[in-house]
Amino acid sequence: MPSLPPMPSFHGSNRATRTPRPQVPVPTARAIVDCGVYVDGQRQPGHFTPEEALTAAEKTDAGFVWIGLHDPDERQMNDIASVFDLHPLAVEDAVQGRQRPKLERYGDTLFLVLRTVCYIDHEIDSISEIVETGDIMVFTGPRFAITVRHGEHTVLTGVRHKLEKQPDQLKYGPTAVLHAVADHVVDTYVDVTESVGGDIDEMEEAVFTPASKIGIGSIYQLKREVVELRRAVAPLAVPLERLVNNTDLPVPTEIRRYLRDVADHQTTVSDHISYFDEALSGLVNAALAKISVQQNTDMRKISAYAAMAAVPTLIAGVYGMNFDHMWLLHQWWGYPSTLLLMVVICAWLFRSFRRNGWL
């Protein structure tokens, strides 16, 4: 018999052999928010690429470069790392984000990770996100300060402009930028904790108001947001303590004094967050107790009405047995008197329950 022709292979179809479309690389300049050269606390005029800025800074005795980046991808960050000789591990952390606050040293380069927070306006009885978090990484070396920001909040443009108006502080070099960024982040912690504290005060008033409709889900949501806030704030204590007390780090003495004030503010915020956690735990217990009391009140009302309904049910059940010899069965006034008896007993029960607070 003639052999059948081979079937066409489905592996050779256009769909299977379609190659992914290559992604167009985004220029590194797209991730750069600002790039400036500073000498003796003064910003030098002109626009620079990272390479040009570093070259201009190295021509001076005390010049440095400050580059601000926003959400750089891996290729963009590697371009910056190749210019300033950044460690690959720090570069990887800067690209991925979502890092725990920490301080690492790679030779003469310091790498500080900060968690940023932002308060979101919301209704007190809603279950929605209250605290939004992000990241700021700061690289400092002898000739550069690089800030990498993830997220849409805690913009550093105002920090740069404020610091440029303080040349006496900016002349301390890249560590002055590190202090300014850390101080700005901790100041946002203070603002957010004040807003969260207002929410807790408002929630306390609502919970202890008899006719309030605040749900326990809203309290749990706020407690979860406080836990997230604590995870952003509390771990920063260790890096700040190292910057203040570790004299081996390349941080000038004057900048250490400023960082000590930042550490004090961070400690105050951590104490407030611990109080918030305890207060919310108390509110959870109070809300549960309030729910339990309300359920007990409802059960007493139900029991009282059930007791009143049992009286006519019992009497009607007895006279519904259809025996011949029953009291009042053959009297013309038997039926009205039985109804009157039911009403009198139910009224007496209602008055008794009302006097005892059951109704």
Side-chain angles (χ1 to χ4, degrees):
M1 297 182 61
S3 59
L4 296 176
M7 297 294 293
S9 174
F10 289 99
H11 296 287
S13 62
N14 292 333
R15 183 175 181 180
T17 59
R18 183 179 301 168
T19 58
R21 181 177 300 175
Q23 296 182 354
V24 179
V26 180
T28 304
R30 191 73 61 85
I32 298 177
V33 179
D34 198 353
C35 178
V37 178
Y38 299 86
V39 179
D40 293 330
Q42 299 291 337
R43 179 165 183 167
Q44 302 303 298
H47 299 279
F48 303 91
T49 64
E51 296 85 355
E52 295 171 347
L54 182 59
T55 301
E58 290 177 342
K59 292 179 181 179
T60 63
D61 294 333
F64 72 95
V65 183
W66 182 1
I67 297 179
L69 303 174
H70 181 225
D71 284 333
D73 58 26
E74 184 176 1
R75 192 192 63 81
Q76 293 168 340
M77 196 65 209
N78 285 332
D79 289 344
I80 299 295
S82 63
V83 176
F84 296 95
D85 193 22
L86 304 179
H87 196 278
L89 292 178
V91 172
E92 181 181 358
D93 290 342
V95 172
Q96 293 178 354
R98 309 299 296 179
Q99 301 294 317
R100 181 182 175 89
K102 60 182 179 179
L103 175 67
E104 296 180 352
R105 181 178 183 180
Y106 302 97
D108 293 333
T109 302
L110 295 180
F111 177 59
L112 177 64
V113 177
L114 302 162
R115 296 283 290 163
T116 61
V117 296
C118 177
Y119 178 79
I120 302 175
D121 292 329
H122 63 284
E123 297 294 334
I124 190 63
D125 57 346
S126 64
I127 302 178
S128 60
E129 188 178 18
I130 301 172
V131 177
E132 181 180 342
T133 59
D135 301 271
I136 290 181
M137 289 82 169
V138 184
F139 296 86
T140 60
R143 292 288 187 172
F144 63 86
I146 302 173
T147 57
V148 181
R149 180 171 60 91
H150 293 279
E152 299 301 328
H153 57 83
T154 317
V155 180
L156 298 179
T157 303
V159 177
R160 185 186 290 265
H161 292 165
K162 180 180 178 181
L163 196 57
E164 288 175 352
K165 296 178 182 179
Q166 300 173 346
D168 292 339
Q169 186 172 355
L170 193 57
K171 69 181 181 180
Y172 288 105
T175 53
V177 176
L178 185 145
H179 160 260
V181 174
D183 184 55
H184 176 67
V185 171
V186 173
D187 284 344
T188 60
Y189 291 167
V190 175
D191 296 337
V192 171
T193 52
E194 289 179 355
S195 300
V196 172
D199 287 343
I200 294 177
D201 292 339
E202 187 176 351
M203 191 167 288
E204 282 181 345
E205 182 179 358
V207 167
F208 293 107
T209 299
S212 66
K213 300 297 183 180
I214 190 71
I216 195 170
S218 301
I219 303 177
Y220 277 122
Q221 174 69 16
L222 185 55
K223 186 175 178 63
R224 189 189 72 82
E225 297 297 318
V226 168
V227 170
E228 185 175 1
L229 181 61
R230 181 175 58 191
R231 289 175 179 172
V233 175
L236 185 58
V238 175
L240 291 178
E241 191 273 337
R242 288 184 59 194
L243 288 170
V244 172
N245 299 321
N246 192 344
T247 57
D248 294 335
L249 296 178
V251 180
T253 303
E254 189 65 22
I255 296 299
R256 293 182 191 276
R257 296 192 180 101
Y258 286 108
L259 287 170
R260 187 176 294 112
D261 181 68
V262 176
D264 291 340
H265 291 170
Q266 188 273 339
T267 301
T268 302
V269 172
S270 295
D271 292 340
H272 287 167
I273 294 175
S274 298
Y275 165 74
F276 293 162
D277 195 23
E278 295 176 0
L280 288 173
S281 297
L283 283 181
V284 170
N285 295 331
L288 291 175
K290 185 177 180 180
I291 293 173
S292 178
V293 170
Q294 184 61 42
Q295 289 176 343
N296 291 336
T297 302
D298 295 340
M299 288 302 300
R300 286 190 301 178
K301 291 182 179 180
I302 294 173
S303 300
Y305 285 117
M308 289 187 294
V311 172
T313 301
L314 175 63
I315 296 176
V318 170
Y319 277 91
M321 291 186 293
N322 296 324
F323 288 109
D324 290 334
H325 304 286
M326 296 183 68
W327 183 56
L328 302 179
L329 188 61
H330 299 289
Q331 304 295 330
W332 66 267
W333 45 270
Y335 178 68
S337 61
T338 303
L339 294 179
L340 179 61
L341 178 64
M342 294 180 185
V343 173
V344 170
I345 295 176
C346 290
W348 176 78
L349 288 174
F350 180 82
R351 185 171 180 271
S352 300
F353 289 140
R354 177 61 66 87
R355 186 188 306 118
N356 294 327
W358 282 46
L359 292 175

